[in-house]
């Protein structure tokens, strides 16, 4: 069982309490069971009485040609699909509102460069991403706080370069 599994379970118990589904005493009980769990079965048993987890939202940004650009204070969905046949993609998540501990960004890009700025303390995963013509440019950094958002990139990039960087502030 990973720490991400445990953190996700703790978040789910807290959300159930915040939404009024369980009382304070029940929250303490569930948290004790989650923190003491050593297997996935024990973790599942601790979460079974809770209401189903909100899977989050999925949004698609698509363009056949031209630019795709998002910046400023925009709300990032749980799953963001970015599709572009020809053109440039610029996503700036540095000031975006990220409500979920894990955000999946699925890229389907034909030709053209893509530049993505993630928050300074974000944890970035690029293992599910394939590039065609040029390589991915990304330099990982250590998270600066616990509970930093995790951003997972998947999909494919044809002809063009993908550059992922952390924001300065």
């Amino acid at each position: 069982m990973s720490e991400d599994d445990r953190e996700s379970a703790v978040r789910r118990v807290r959300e159930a309490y915040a939404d009024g589904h369980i009382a304070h005493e029940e929250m303490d009980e569930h948290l004790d069971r989650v923190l003491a769990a050593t297997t996935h079965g024990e973790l599942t048993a601790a979460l079974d009485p809770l209401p189903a987890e909100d899977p989050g939202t999925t949004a698609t940004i698509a363009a056949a040609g031209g630019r795709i650009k998002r910046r400023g204070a925009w709300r990032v969905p749980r799953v963001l699909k970015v599709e572009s046949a020809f053109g440039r993609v610029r996503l700036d998540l540095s000031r975006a509102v990220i409500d979920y501990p894990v955000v999946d960004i699925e890229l389907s890009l034909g030709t053209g460069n893509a530049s993505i700025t993630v928050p300074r303390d974000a944890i970035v995963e690029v293992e599910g991403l394939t590039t065609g013509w040029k390589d991915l440019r990304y330099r990982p950094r250590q998270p600066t706080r616990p509970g930093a958002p995790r951003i997972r990139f998947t999909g494919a990039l044809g002809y063009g370069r993908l550059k992922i960087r952390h924001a300065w502030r």
Side-chain angles (χ1 to χ4, degrees), residues 39-150:
T39 66
H40 282 286
E42 292 173 354
L43 194 61
T44 302
L47 297 176
D48 276 345
L50 300 178
E53 185 175 20
D54 178 18
T57 58
T58 300
T60 301
I61 304 172
R67 294 183 181 182
I68 294 176
K69 189 174 188 177
R70 294 288 184 276
R71 66 180 193 171
W74 60 290
R75 187 167 302 279
V76 180
R78 166 68 184 83
V79 177
L80 178 63
K81 296 179 181 183
V82 180
E83 301 170 357
S84 175
F86 305 100
R88 194 179 328 190
V89 174
R90 301 270 189 250
L91 298 178
D92 185 352
L93 284 78
S94 63
R95 290 185 285 165
V97 178
I98 301 175
D99 294 327
Y100 303 97
V102 178
V103 172
D104 289 313
I105 298 178
E106 299 175 16
L107 300 174
S108 178
L109 308 177
T111 61
N113 294 332
S115 175
I116 301 173
T117 304
V118 297
R120 179 180 181 151
D121 58 351
I123 300 165
V124 176
E125 297 176 6
V126 293
E127 289 79 26
L129 190 60
T130 58
T131 58
W133 186 254
K134 294 192 177 182
D135 291 332
L136 164 71
R137 285 193 176 178
Y138 171 65
R139 188 174 4 160
R141 65 181 291 152
Q142 294 295 324
T144 56
R145 66 177 171 92
R150 180 178 303 273

Side-chain angles (χ1 to χ4, degrees), residues 12-25 27 50:
R12 187 166 165 204
V13 170
R14 288 181 177 161
E15 286 176 0
Y17 172 70
D19 292 341
H21 296 292
I22 59 175
H24 185 72
E25 296 80 23
M27 179 186 71
L50 300 178

